[in-house]
């Protein structure tokens, strides 16, 4: 079945970087955009960016530009999200999600299980 | 990009209908018919329930329906059930491969 499996929880110190992985299975990896969304404690969902696995092109939310990097490894069907210069406000659950359709419908129908990132000194 | 505006909370009794609004701008909701809605139970991954304003993904009940007028999109849930109690988020395309979420609405089934 179609699924996205994310890497495990991380604890980082302020100023460090974190890299979260998202491994896809059950569908043609190259055809579907992957999104990253996060939810801080007590807050709503926040869109971080998108990556096209076909060519690796990315678009990031303005808020994260300069701090986030999304990449993909087509050989392992894995997408990565790296966030640098971490601060306490980056403590959140990070989700990867797949686009609904191969044509890019900008809706997210398959989600990873979430990865908790805690930033604490 | 500013978050889309949703009411913080709504409530209804079992069997009733409720509507959640999602107000954006002419740069997102008002221009693009690419508004999706997500149901989010705490501790679980969000679930897509409406895409492109008023379309259902496979397996989603038609008790959920979506609409849009101008800069405001709406989600209506009819025949409320206890399991509908969750947080609901709208999300709009905002051009240039960017998306913006609403602040979320907590639905309480009385």
């Amino acid at each position: 079945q179609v699924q996205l499996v994310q890497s495990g929880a991380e604890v980082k110190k302020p100023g460090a970087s974190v890299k979260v992985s998202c491994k896809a299975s059950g569908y043609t990896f190259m055809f579907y955009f992957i999104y990253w969304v996060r939810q801080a404690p007590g807050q709503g969902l926040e869109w971080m960016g998108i990556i096209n696995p076909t060519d690796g092109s990315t678009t990031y939310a303005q808020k994260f530009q300069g701090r986030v990097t999304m990449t993909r490894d087509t050989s392992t069907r894995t997408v990565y999200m790296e966030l640098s210069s971490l601060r306490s406000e980056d403590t959140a659950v990070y989700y990867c999600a797949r686009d609904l359709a191969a044509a890019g419908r900008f809706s997210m129908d398959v989600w990873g299980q979430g990865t908790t990132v805690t930033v604490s000194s | 990009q500013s978050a889309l505006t949703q009411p913080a909370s709504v409530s209804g009794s079992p069997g009733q209908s409720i509507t959640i609004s999602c107000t954006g701008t002419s740069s997102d909701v008002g221009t693009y018919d690419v508004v999706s809605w997500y149901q989010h139970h705490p501790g679980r991954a969000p679930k897509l329930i409406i895409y492109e304003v008023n379309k259902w993904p496979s397996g989603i009940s038609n008790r959920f329906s979506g609409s849009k007028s101008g800069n405001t999109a709406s989600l209506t849930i009819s025949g409320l059930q206890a399991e509908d109690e969750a947080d609901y988020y709208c999300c709009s395309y905002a051009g240039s491969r960017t998306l913006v979420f609403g602040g979320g609405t907590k639905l309480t089934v009385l």
Side-chain angles (χ1 to χ4, degrees), chain B residues 17-20 37 62-67 74-78:
Chain B
S17 296
I18 62 94
T19 297
I20 299 171
W37 289 88
N62 59 9
R63 295 189 302 105
F64 298 94
S65 61
S67 63
S74 298
L75 171 72
T76 297
I77 307 175
S78 59

Side-chain angles (χ1 to χ4, degrees), chain B:
Chain B
Q1 291 150 329
S2 298
L4 308 176
T5 300
Q6 298 182 231
S9 62
V10 297
S11 62
S13 300
Q16 288 186 331
S17 296
I18 62 94
T19 297
I20 299 171
S21 62
C22 167
T23 301
T25 70
S26 58
S27 298
D28 38 63
V29 175
T31 294
Y32 303 100
D33 288 336
V34 187
V35 177
S36 52
W37 289 88
Y38 299 87
Q39 178 189 63
H40 192 198
H41 289 103
R44 299 193 215 166
K47 180 181 182 180
L48 178 66
I49 55 174
I50 292 287
Y51 71 99
E52 292 177 358
V53 176
N54 55 14
K55 298 178 182 175
W56 292 286
S58 175
I60 298 300
S61 168
N62 59 9
R63 295 189 302 105
F64 298 94
S65 61
S67 63
K68 192 187 89 165
S69 177
N71 294 341
T72 299
S74 298
L75 171 72
T76 297
I77 307 175
S78 59
L80 269 180
Q81 301 177 0
E83 58 262 35
D84 297 333
E85 185 162 294
D87 297 320
Y88 290 84
Y89 294 89
C90 60
C91 181
S92 176
Y93 184 70
S96 302
R97 296 204 320 182
T98 66
L99 296 173
V100 59
F101 275 100
T105 298
K106 181 176 179 62
L107 169 61
T108 300
V109 180
L110 302 170

Side-chain angles (χ1 to χ4, degrees), chain A residues 33 35 37 39 43-47 50-52 55 57-62 95 100 104-109 111-114, chain B residues 1 34-36 38 40 43-48 50-52 55 57-58 87 89 91 93 96-104:
Chain A
F33 296 158
Y35 305 86
V37 175
Q39 184 177 38
Q43 304 298 310
L45 300 177
E46 182 173 32
W47 180 76
I50 178 176
I51 182 167
N52 181 349
D55 59 7
S57 62
T58 56
T59 302
Y60 304 134
Q62 199 168 2
Y95 293 100
L100 172 67
R105 306 297 273 269
F106 298 98
S107 298
M108 297 162 262
D109 76 327
W111 292 68
Q113 81 275 21
Chain B
Q1 291 150 329
V34 187
V35 177
S36 52
Y38 299 87
H40 192 198
R44 299 193 215 166
K47 180 181 182 180
L48 178 66
I50 292 287
Y51 71 99
E52 292 177 358
K55 298 178 182 175
S58 175
D87 297 320
Y89 294 89
C91 181
Y93 184 70
S96 302
R97 296 204 320 182
T98 66
L99 296 173
V100 59
F101 275 100

